[in-house]
Structure formats: structure tokens, C-alpha cells
Amino acid sequence: MKKNILYQKGLFYNLNLLKKILFSLIIFLVFITYSCNSEQKILNVGIYTEYPPFSYKEDDKIKGFNIDFLDICLKEIKYKPNYIEIDFDSFDKLKNGEVDILMGGYPIIYKYPDGISLTEPYFDMSLYLISRIDNPIDSIEKLSDKKLILPLYTFSEELVKNVKNLEKLPYKNYSESMKSLENGDTDAVLVEKVLLDIYSLDENKFIKVKVYNQGLTIVLREDSDELRYEFNNTISNLIKTKQYKNLILKWFEEEWWKAIMLQFMELVQWALE
């Protein structure tokens, strides 16, 4: 009987101890969660909202690929965004501290004013030349006397304007273009990197060569070394993930990609003049 009573007391004591431990653990987790949230710093983001689908307004809400991408980045580096609409050339607002970063169609190749720094590109807008393995073409110069499928009236056409005797064929869509290439109806296809991200390239049949380097970047002040380092680390990791590819699939459709590239390349040409 004594043993039974002692056993019950011991069980009661252990249960009470377990409850205290669980309660302490809950309090600790609540404290940690609160601490993490309170550690989030506000980042004033100057966002250019006239560049759909990267960043634009719909029903008074800012949305787009840039917003989704930046939200993921800022969660990683423990910042909370405060979006402020700006004009594209609002570099003075960045320099005087009204905003901490600029985002919204800023190219890596561009004539930026002094006192500005850039992150690594978070979106690749480079152009690639695709040809068959049995008939490789590894440069723009080697397109002389060849047939090339490309988006007409875009920067792609500007890129090949000095190629002699080049027959330019209009780009319709990726699958038709690759079929024409495989069948020998054209010698090469000029496409943007995003299409290679969306569609798979059969590397047993085709080769790809980058012929023009361009991309989108986040613009910071020159002295924002720590913030730039945090962004670069996050960007380099994120662009390799399935989550990043899903963002591309969510926001980009081939039928209006030509219009985006036209708008972007016109902006770049204007800036470089």
C-alpha cells in the first residue's frame, strides 16, 4: 500500500514537472518569435510601378515579379518592406536617404550617376543564340549568309544589323522555332534567357551561346556595403531554387514577352546614348 502511494505521488510529481517544462518551453518560443519579429528592420523600397509584370499597380495594390521576389529576399535578411512609388530616375531620393533601395526594371548595363552601387542581377535578360550540334554557330559574326529566327522590331534585330546577307525570319513561339531549327528550316534561333528557363533545351540536339549580357539589378547607395552583401548572398542562392523557377512560371507568358523586351531595350538604348 505504501509503495502504491509513493508511486502515485511520484507520478503526480513527474506530471507536474512535465507541465512546468512544457509551459516554460511555450513561453520561450513565444519570446523567440516576438524577438525575431521585433528585430525586423524597415527597408524603404523605391519601386517603379510602370514596368509590368515586374512591378505595377492593380486596384491600388503594387504587385508583380519584383514584389514576390523581394518579399522572399527580405524575409531571409529580416527586413520588412515599405514600398514607396517613384519615377525611374529617382536617384536623388536614394542618395538623400528617402529610400534605401530602388527596384523596378533597372538594368545592370546602364549609365548610373556617381554614388550608386548595384547588386548581382536577380533576373537574367541576356540573349542566347541556339543552333544545332551538327551545325554549330557560336557568335553573331558567324551568321553571315545564314537564316535566323528572332523577334523582329526588338533589340534582337539591332544586335544583328551588321551581319551580311542574313535572312531574318519572324519569331512566333518557342516550340515552333525549335522545330524549324531541328528540321533545318533555319540555322539558328535568337531567344531571351527567360524562355530557356521556362522551356527545356535538348542539349543532345542543340547548343546555346550567350551573345548579349543584360539583367535586372537592385540599386543601392555606394556606402550600403552590408545591405548589398546580404542581398547578393540571398540572390545567388534563391535564383538556383525551384521557388525561383515557379516565380518565373507564375509571372511570364511568352506571348507578351516580346513587348517587355522591346520596352526594356528601348530604355537601355536611351540611357546609353
Side-chain angles (χ1 to χ4, degrees):
M1 186 72 174
K2 260 188 176 180
K3 282 187 178 180
N4 192 35
I5 292 170
L6 287 172
Y7 173 78
Q8 289 177 352
K9 284 184 176 178
L11 183 61
F12 180 77
Y13 174 80
N14 289 336
L15 285 173
N16 277 341
L17 181 61
L18 183 59
K19 286 179 182 178
K20 288 179 180 178
I21 292 172
L22 286 173
F23 180 77
S24 299
L25 183 59
I26 291 169
I27 294 297
F28 176 75
L29 290 174
V30 169
F31 175 77
I32 290 296
T33 304
Y34 175 79
S35 297
C36 289
N37 289 334
S38 64
E39 284 176 8
Q40 276 195 327
K41 295 169 282 187
I42 301 296
L43 190 74
N44 291 318
V45 179
I47 187 79
Y48 178 63
T49 58
E50 295 183 24
Y51 193 50
F54 289 97
S55 46
Y56 63 101
K57 285 192 79 174
E58 185 176 271
D59 300 326
D60 290 326
K61 184 178 180 181
I62 301 173
K63 55 173 63 176
F65 176 88
N66 284 343
I67 307 303
D68 286 356
F69 180 83
L70 189 60
D71 283 350
I72 295 170
C73 286
L74 295 184
K75 283 178 184 175
E76 289 293 319
I77 61 177
K78 294 183 173 60
Y79 277 93
K80 184 178 179 180
N82 174 38
Y83 290 106
I84 300 170
E85 285 187 73
I86 56 163
D87 295 326
F88 184 84
D89 58 350
S90 298
F91 302 109
D92 286 342
K93 290 186 178 181
L94 179 65
K95 288 183 177 182
N96 65 27
E98 288 182 54
V99 295
D100 300 306
I101 65 171
L102 302 179
M103 197 175 189
Y106 293 93
I108 54 173
I109 300 174
Y110 188 84
K111 286 184 179 178
Y112 289 101
D114 293 336
I116 295 297
S117 66
L118 309 175
T119 66
E120 295 296 319
Y122 65 86
F123 190 89
D124 194 341
M125 300 186 84
S126 300
L127 296 175
Y128 282 78
L129 189 65
I130 303 175
S131 58
R132 295 189 306 276
I133 282 183
D134 61 358
N135 183 30
I137 302 173
D138 59 7
S139 70
I140 293 294
E141 291 72 25
K142 292 182 181 179
L143 286 170
S144 295
D145 302 309
K146 305 288 186 184
K147 294 180 180 179
L148 173 69
I149 291 177
L150 76 165
L152 299 178
Y153 313 113
T154 70
F155 181 77
S156 298
E157 196 168 16
E158 179 73 14
L159 197 64
V160 298
K161 68 179 182 180
N162 295 323
V163 179
K164 295 180 180 178
N165 302 320
L166 174 66
E167 183 177 348
K168 293 179 283 187
L169 306 173
Y171 178 93
K172 295 180 180 178
N173 60 55
Y174 185 83
S175 57
E176 282 190 33
S177 298
M178 296 310 295
K179 188 175 181 180
S180 295
L181 180 58
E182 186 173 4
N183 293 340
D185 298 326
T186 186
D187 297 296
V189 179
L190 190 61
V191 298
E192 296 83 11
K193 174 62 164 57
V194 67
L195 296 179
L196 297 178
D197 290 333
I198 294 172
Y199 302 100
S200 58
L201 181 70
D202 189 343
E203 295 186 354
N204 293 317
K205 297 179 180 179
F206 308 108
I207 63 167
K208 63 179 180 181
V209 178
K210 184 187 286 190
V211 292
Y212 180 76
N213 183 44
Q214 186 57 282
L216 297 181
T217 182
I218 298 171
V219 183
L220 309 91
R221 286 184 292 276
E222 193 172 37
D223 59 2
S224 300
D225 295 331
E226 185 178 346
L227 185 58
R228 184 172 57 254
Y229 175 80
E230 289 179 315
F231 267 122
N232 283 340
N233 272 350
T234 305
I235 290 169
S236 64
N237 291 327
L238 182 55
I239 61 177
K240 300 170 188 173
T241 65
K242 187 176 180 180
Q243 186 179 22
Y244 181 80
K245 185 168 185 180
N246 287 339
L247 278 184
I248 289 177
L249 294 173
K250 173 184 175 181
W251 286 105
F252 299 100
E253 297 176 5
E254 186 175 356
E255 50 263 31
W256 46 255
W257 180 248
K258 175 181 172 181
I260 295 172
M261 286 301 294
L262 179 61
Q263 180 186 359
F264 180 78
M265 292 308 177
E266 283 178 349
L267 173 64
V268 172
Q269 283 181 294
W270 169 80
L272 294 178
E273 286 176 356

